[in-house]
Amino acid sequence: MNHGLYIAAAGMKSRAQALEVSANNVANAGVAGYKRDMVFYGIFNRVRGNPLERALADSVVAEESRTNFSAGTLQRTDNPLDLALASDGFFAVQTGEGVSYTRNGQFTLDANRRIVSAAGEPLLNENNRPIILPEGQVEVGSLGDVSVDGVLAGRIQIVDFQDKAQLVKAGSVLFQAPQGAEPLPPENLSVKQGFLERSNVNPVAGLADAMHNMRTFEMLARAMRMMSQDVDRRAIDEIARVNA
């Protein structure tokens, strides 16, 4: 049994996972509020029982991906319903799976004059209700107060979490909080009207990372083919020797 085949296979699997993450980051580099994912590697150190486990015992594998919640740069749009958080925190929106959280502040008005996301999910106020606006000039204060022609129409629900790593991605810009993860008021809240937070993906670095993972995957694939051919050749030689 060629243990190198198993090690190469494990490497190919980890690089395929990393390539998928890198490609997804690059694809969402232009999406407001998108947070890039990162792959973390570890040493395969499970019980060394069967030959596969022994072969993989010292190989590097992709253990998990985690979201990088660092802030993206703010881009001025002057659209009154474009909102950015120049602080920690998330906007709360109502989805089919319940309340979800996002840093994407690209909002519009639907036919019922509710403030909604690009996907039509209502932005929620502090009472978990949609924010409905009358006709008029919209102003959003730094604490999330929404006024129309100087009259308060509601306050946007903006929350944070003590451990953001608990949040689960639900699509490209939405996060869901697991049971027990209580939302908290963000510190130093600052809402910027007429701005959007860009993704925290560096497209050049993301593309370079994707190309690196692809090249490594191809190198491991070539190594597997060479090892397989060597195994086949030795098997043929052994059979020929036995039958001689």
Side-chain angles (χ1 to χ4, degrees), residues 160-189:
D160 199 10
F161 295 87
Q162 186 172 4
D163 182 9
K164 294 182 180 67
Q166 291 182 308
L167 298 177
V168 178
K169 266 194 175 180
S172 60
V173 294
L174 292 179
F175 296 89
Q176 293 178 343
Q179 189 172 8
E182 293 296 328
L184 305 170
E187 295 184 5
N188 304 315
L189 176 61

Side-chain angles (χ1 to χ4, degrees), residues 40-46 48 56-63:
F40 286 80
Y41 296 92
I43 301 298
F44 192 96
N45 58 4
R46 295 177 176 83
R48 302 184 183 186
L56 297 180
D58 297 319
S59 63
V60 177
V61 294
E63 289 192 332

Side-chain angles (χ1 to χ4, degrees), residues 80-81 83 133 136-142 144-154 156 193:
L81 289 179
L83 306 176
L133 301 183
Q137 182 176 347
V138 179
E139 294 184 0
V140 180
S142 62
D145 292 322
V146 183
S147 301
V148 178
D149 291 339
V151 178
L152 184 66
I156 299 169
Q193 184 181 21

Side-chain angles (χ1 to χ4, degrees), residues 1-14:
M1 178 178 296
N2 192 328
H3 290 182
L5 286 172
Y6 289 128
I7 294 174
M12 289 177 65
K13 181 179 180 180
S14 66

